[in-house]
Amino acid sequence: MVLLWLTTIFPHARPLACDYPLRDSCESATGSQLMLLYLAFGLMSLGGGGIRSSSLAFGADQLEKGDGIKSKSEGALKSYFSWYYVSVSASSMVAVTFIVYIQDNLGWKVGFGIPAAIMLLSALCFFLASPFYVKSKANTSLLSGLIQVLVASYKNRHIKLPSPQAAEERYHHREGSVRLVPSENLRCLNKACIIKHPEQDLTPDGRASDPWSLCTVDQVEELKALIKVIPLWSTGIMIGVTLSQSSFPVLQASSMDRHVSRNFEIPAASFCIFTIITLTLWVGFYDRILLPLASKIKGKPCQLSLKQRMGIGLLFSTASMAAWAITETVRRRIAIDEGLSDDPRAVVQMSAMWLLPYLVLSGLAMAFNMIGQTEFYYSELPKSMSSIASALLGVGLSAASLVASLIMNSVDGITRSRGKQGWIPSNINKGHYDHYFWLLSALNMANFVYFLACCKAYGPCRVEVHKALDDADDMREEC
């Protein structure tokens, strides 16, 4: 953030201002200017990756006692995931309102300087409060452990799997481990934990003499759990593609009437606040009103399953793109009727509040799918993989950004063929952004069908299995 702020302080750190697209050509940034900018972005990505991949799991650790025993309140963790995203949304709300307002009215020096100061304050607060945190020590590298399973299973590919009767003695497991025998799915990986020669493969204290040739049953099961969730994880990429189209609403809102009153106009970059408000309100309503009310009516804990919430979110994402396409169709027709096709900065006689259906539906899609995704990964993966569980959503959104760029570049290249204007030119009034949004809506619908297939292949979640067992125990007690 400091490097990004420095690009506004020193004139030589950035190219000269250019009023594109009203000017035909602009001065390009030099190599050193781009290097400084990319270095700032790179450091922000590294810092964001460290924070986002760990903060959720670290916060969940605070809900457990120091000895690892979970809090008595089983609903605390589920509420934590929802309110974690509320806090993230609240910070985003400040960013798209307060920070954007400062950048628009006081310039980039102050606009980038304030976030840099806030980051410094945040770091100081974190380290000052550090002595009060519950800290789980990292004993081994989980990533290297997963790679070791792949290498060991390849090395032992010619070994025959032992019979079920002699399996327990043939498999290597950690001392005190609950699981002594690997599961039957993906049996080829089970060869990674087979003890061939106990005298050679194990040290006197029972550890593997070569961890790249012999792994524990827990390591094998961790890799299996990760592989099992990958198909369902991939279904979240498309909703990330939808949410990554963040520049287009700004472009649309800039060409529409943004006045709420005669003297107040909402900045174009602040319209995403409606998505954040929707997310926040729904989480509060769902967690504090809907679930307690439904549970009271049914006389037992009642809530949507994780896969149901993820699927509903995908449907909301599909509907949001359809609503967006309809809005753009109307906006473009009005711009043509008013003779504004050649002026990309002209404001059409249409309220920007027409964007609300898209923004509200996007907020509901995030509330259902993204929070559901995080809870799903955290509940399905072993406790030792909590950091990976909290990072999977961020990895999916990063992959979605790449997929979104690929889709946009492909659509632009195909529709520009033979000298045509294309669907997504720089002049929004001359393009067909509505066609592009309909395409994304269709891709979202196809992704939902793929999601249903993945759900069927995945089978019941661990939470559903445990709930079924608890219900069976309750029925036995009643009998």
Side-chain angles (χ1 to χ4, degrees), residues 43 151 215 225 237 242 264 340-341 465:
L43 291 174
V151 174
C215 302
I237 292 178
T242 301
F264 180 72
L340 303 175
S341 297
V465 173

Side-chain angles (χ1 to χ4, degrees), residues 5 9 18 54 70 72 80 99 122 162 171 179 203 227 247 264 272 279 313 346 361 363 394 423 438 462:
W5 174 63
I9 299 297
C18 178
S54 305
K70 290 191 176 182
K72 293 181 180 179
Y80 163 71
I99 301 297
S122 175
Y171 289 118
R179 183 179 285 275
T203 60
I227 293 174
S247 60
F264 180 72
C272 60
L279 169 63
L361 290 170
W423 285 3
W438 279 120
R462 290 171 60 183

Side-chain angles (χ1 to χ4, degrees), residues 70 74 77-78 81 228 303-307 309 372 374-381 458-471:
K70 290 191 176 182
E74 296 181 359
L77 197 61
K78 294 180 179 180
F81 288 128
K228 188 178 179 182
Q303 60 183 353
L304 293 171
S305 70
L306 297 177
K307 288 190 286 189
R309 288 162 61 186
T374 303
E375 288 188 35
F376 175 77
Y377 303 142
Y378 205 87
S379 63
E380 291 300 297
L381 296 179
Y458 189 88
C461 298
R462 290 171 60 183
V463 176
E464 295 170 352
V465 173
H466 293 160
K467 186 176 183 300
L469 293 174
D470 291 340
D471 291 342

Side-chain angles (χ1 to χ4, degrees), residues 43-104:
L43 291 174
M44 289 169 65
S45 299
L46 289 173
I51 295 170
R52 294 172 187 174
S53 64
S54 305
S55 59
L56 185 66
F58 185 73
D61 287 341
Q62 310 311 305
L63 298 177
E64 298 180 353
K65 298 179 181 179
D67 55 3
I69 300 175
K70 290 191 176 182
S71 172
K72 293 181 180 179
S73 177
E74 296 181 359
L77 197 61
K78 294 180 179 180
S79 294
Y80 163 71
F81 288 128
S82 297
W83 291 103
Y84 172 87
Y85 281 100
V86 169
S87 67
V88 173
S89 300
S91 64
S92 300
M93 198 180 301
V94 173
V96 300
T97 53
F98 176 68
I99 301 297
V100 168
Y101 178 83
I102 288 177
Q103 290 170 349
D104 285 348

Side-chain angles (χ1 to χ4, degrees), residues 159-178:
I159 299 177
K160 291 184 178 180
L161 292 170
S163 61
Q165 293 77 15
E168 187 173 318
E169 293 77 15
R170 292 290 307 277
Y171 289 118
H172 177 48
H173 50 80
R174 296 191 186 109
E175 184 179 354
S177 175
V178 177

Side-chain angles (χ1 to χ4, degrees), residues 50-312:
I51 295 170
R52 294 172 187 174
S53 64
S54 305
S55 59
L56 185 66
F58 185 73
D61 287 341
Q62 310 311 305
L63 298 177
E64 298 180 353
K65 298 179 181 179
D67 55 3
I69 300 175
K70 290 191 176 182
S71 172
K72 293 181 180 179
S73 177
E74 296 181 359
L77 197 61
K78 294 180 179 180
S79 294
Y80 163 71
F81 288 128
S82 297
W83 291 103
Y84 172 87
Y85 281 100
V86 169
S87 67
V88 173
S89 300
S91 64
S92 300
M93 198 180 301
V94 173
V96 300
T97 53
F98 176 68
I99 301 297
V100 168
Y101 178 83
I102 288 177
Q103 290 170 349
D104 285 348
N105 293 275
L106 299 180
W108 295 108
K109 291 181 182 179
V110 182
F112 283 157
I114 290 178
I118 292 175
M119 274 306 309
L120 177 61
L121 179 63
S122 175
L124 288 174
C125 290
F126 176 79
F127 287 111
L128 288 175
S130 183
F132 305 102
Y133 296 138
V134 174
K135 301 170 187 174
S136 300
K137 293 183 179 180
N139 298 321
T140 58
S141 171
L142 185 60
L143 184 60
S144 63
L146 298 178
I147 298 174
Q148 285 171 354
V149 174
L150 294 174
V151 174
S153 60
Y154 178 76
K155 286 182 176 180
N156 301 336
R157 62 190 182 277
H158 300 300
I159 299 177
K160 291 184 178 180
L161 292 170
S163 61
Q165 293 77 15
E168 187 173 318
E169 293 77 15
R170 292 290 307 277
Y171 289 118
H172 177 48
H173 50 80
R174 296 191 186 109
E175 184 179 354
S177 175
V178 177
R179 183 179 285 275
L180 304 179
V181 178
S183 59
E184 288 299 307
N185 57 315
L186 295 173
R187 296 179 74 243
C188 59
L189 297 178
N190 294 352
K191 297 181 178 182
C193 56
I194 293 178
I195 302 173
K196 301 183 292 293
H197 307 288
E199 298 80 6
Q200 300 176 8
D201 296 343
L202 300 177
T203 60
D205 59 354
R207 296 184 181 182
S209 55
D210 182 10
W212 294 93
S213 297
L214 178 63
C215 302
T216 64
V217 173
D218 288 335
Q219 284 179 281
V220 172
E221 291 305 309
E222 286 168 354
L223 180 59
K224 287 182 180 181
L226 182 61
I227 293 174
K228 188 178 179 182
V229 302
I230 291 299
L232 277 170
W233 167 83
S234 66
T235 64
I237 292 178
M238 198 59 223
I239 189 174
V241 170
T242 301
L243 297 173
S244 67
Q245 313 293 323
S246 56
S247 60
F248 293 139
V250 178
L251 196 62
Q252 280 181 302
S254 300
S255 66
M256 301 168 77
D257 183 10
R258 293 175 278 116
H259 283 89
V260 178
S261 64
R262 181 177 298 179
N263 299 319
F264 180 72
E265 183 181 50
I266 302 176
S270 296
F271 264 81
C272 60
I273 190 176
F274 294 107
T275 298
I276 299 167
I277 291 174
T278 302
L279 169 63
T280 305
L281 291 178
W282 172 255
V283 167
F285 175 75
Y286 180 78
D287 189 60
R288 297 300 178 185
I289 299 176
L290 187 59
L291 285 185
L293 183 61
S295 300
K296 186 176 181 180
I297 293 173
K298 294 194 70 175
K300 61 179 181 178
C302 178
Q303 60 183 353
L304 293 171
S305 70
L306 297 177
K307 288 190 286 189
Q308 285 174 339
R309 288 162 61 186
M310 292 163 64
I312 292 172

